[in-house]
Amino acid sequence: GRSQAWQHRHLRRTRTATHITEDLGLLSDHTAWNKVFRRTFWDRHRLAFPEGVLYEDTPLTIPAHFLAEAVDVLHEHVYYWRVREGDGPRRRTGPRMVRDRIASVDHVSRFLADPANTRWSAYKRDYDRSVLIEDLPHFVDRLPTADTDYRAVFMDRARDWASRVDPELFKELPVDLRVKWQLIRERRLADLLAVLEYERRNAAGFLVQGLPLRKRAVLPGADGTPVPLPSSVTRLTSEDFPVRTGVREILWHRGKLVIRGYAYIRNLGAASRLRTLKTALVTSGRHRLLMPLRTVHMPE
């Protein structure tokens, strides 16, 4: 079978003569192998991939997106990457890999911050947000199993890059990322590892405490005591409790239509049936039908 690469999951339809400033989803489109360039455009801007480094795509492709007058996006699969049985995901635990990756995103941030590129300076914030949310967290997740060299390089280079990010941008992140980036910025590796271990064991990165409308995240450290963090980082809002839903199965059973799925509020536990509130409504035009529900145990 075939599946869309995660980097291009938003490229579902063909669009001609678009631009990265019109579709910020293209900020994630930093690979080279799915692109065709006009030679005149390439030569005019003297484009060249950096040599002798890993992740050489990003320093060229994202600036090229901005330099282009327009790009065409095709929804068809035009490049196939065969994943053989037994292939695992490429590990990102080498010091060189993390050093080159952070250098590549830093190159783009500096390109957008360059006074010579004032047309696009407003988009530096959008790019930095995509790095904070989608890019570097993959390398954060590798810290627990990485060696001391990887950890040292990551904490040093990530903190340096983050020092040039708009400080207000960190406040807009989901709480789990707010916490991790705060610990990176403060070079608190031990606390960061404790948070990642708690997240791995509990499928959530924090506990929720406090009065209604004044909820805060509490993060147990290695010895069980809370990790000290400023209230501006641990304060929770409704955006930190998104609703997650999904349908897993629809079938006819003894003359009845049965729908199996899930609905929960992320970051809030429901240890018993008494701690659940549920309803289901099926609509078709003006017709509405309230559905009977039965709660089932789903540890995952």
Side-chain angles (χ1 to χ4, degrees):
R2 295 195 297 265
S3 60
Q4 186 84 334
W6 68 267
Q7 302 100 317
H8 307 115
R9 59 191 179 278
H10 67 288
L11 303 180
R12 300 294 186 186
R13 60 188 179 88
T14 293
R15 283 163 294 159
T16 58
T18 187
H19 194 263
I20 196 168
T21 58
E22 300 172 4
D23 179 5
L24 294 179
L26 292 174
L27 288 169
S28 300
D29 180 39
H30 49 68
T31 57
W33 35 256
N34 66 331
K35 295 176 179 58
V36 176
F37 293 85
R38 286 188 185 275
R39 182 57 184 260
T40 52
F41 168 78
W42 185 277
D43 291 343
R44 183 167 67 253
H45 294 287
R46 299 179 179 178
L47 299 180
F49 289 103
E51 298 182 15
V53 297
L54 302 172
Y55 303 109
E56 72 280 7
D57 300 34
T58 301
L60 184 143
T61 55
I62 299 300
H65 261 303
F66 282 97
L67 291 168
E69 294 180 10
V71 299
D72 295 337
V73 177
L74 305 182
H75 77 275
E76 295 92 352
H77 291 179
V78 295
Y79 181 95
Y80 295 92
W81 184 358
R82 184 177 298 279
V83 180
R84 295 181 296 274
E85 186 176 355
D87 279 358
R90 183 173 59 176
R91 297 187 63 80
R92 302 178 177 88
T93 53
R96 182 191 175 194
M97 299 189 79
V98 69
R99 185 185 299 113
D100 287 355
R101 186 61 190 161
I102 295 176
S104 74
V105 299
D106 188 45
H107 178 93
V108 177
S109 289
R110 291 177 184 273
F111 168 82
L112 295 173
D114 189 334
N117 299 322
T118 54
R119 287 174 55 195
W120 311 300
S121 58
Y123 297 97
K124 178 183 183 300
R125 202 170 189 276
D126 296 299
Y127 178 73
D128 289 346
R129 180 189 290 107
S130 73
V131 174
L132 290 170
I133 294 176
E134 296 183 359
D135 203 312
L136 294 187
H138 296 291
F139 294 86
V140 177
D141 294 339
R142 298 291 185 182
L143 286 170
T145 57
D147 59 24
T148 54
D149 289 340
Y150 175 101
R151 293 175 177 179
V153 170
F154 177 83
M155 295 299 286
D156 179 60
R157 301 299 174 90
R159 180 175 179 268
D160 176 64
W161 176 80
S163 68
R164 292 185 291 280
V165 172
D166 179 0
E168 294 298 311
L169 190 53
F170 294 99
K171 299 178 183 179
E172 301 172 11
L173 300 176
V175 63
D176 53 335
L177 287 177
R178 282 203 307 271
V179 167
K180 292 171 186 175
W181 280 108
Q182 181 72 20
L183 295 175
I184 292 169
R185 293 163 72 196
E186 296 180 6
R187 296 184 66 89
R188 292 164 58 183
L189 176 60
D191 284 335
L192 178 58
L193 292 174
V195 167
L196 292 170
E197 174 59 19
Y198 181 85
E199 187 177 66
R200 183 190 68 81
R201 287 188 286 108
N202 296 277
F206 57 90
L207 300 172
V208 177
Q209 294 183 1
L211 299 172
L213 304 182
R214 297 187 65 180
K215 296 291 186 183
R216 61 189 177 89
V218 177
L219 299 105
D223 58 358
T225 58
V227 174
L229 287 164
S231 60
S232 60
V233 174
T234 60
R235 186 181 301 115
L236 300 174
T237 68
S238 59
E239 293 183 358
D240 293 310
F241 301 102
V243 175
R244 297 285 189 253
T245 64
V247 174
R248 290 186 165 179
E249 187 179 31
I250 302 177
L251 72 158
W252 286 101
H253 180 67
R254 297 180 179 177
K256 293 182 178 180
L257 181 65
V258 179
I259 304 173
R260 294 192 176 103
Y262 59 86
Y264 64 94
I265 300 175
R266 188 168 183 265
N267 299 326
L268 281 184
S272 68
R273 290 172 180 257
L274 298 178
R275 294 188 62 185
T276 65
L277 177 65
K278 53 193 179 294
T279 187
L281 192 68
V282 175
T283 63
S284 177
R286 295 184 178 181
H287 299 285
R288 297 185 177 185
L289 177 64
L290 191 64
M291 301 287 287
L293 290 175
R294 181 166 60 89
T295 302
V296 296
H297 186 56
M298 294 175 64
E300 69 275 24

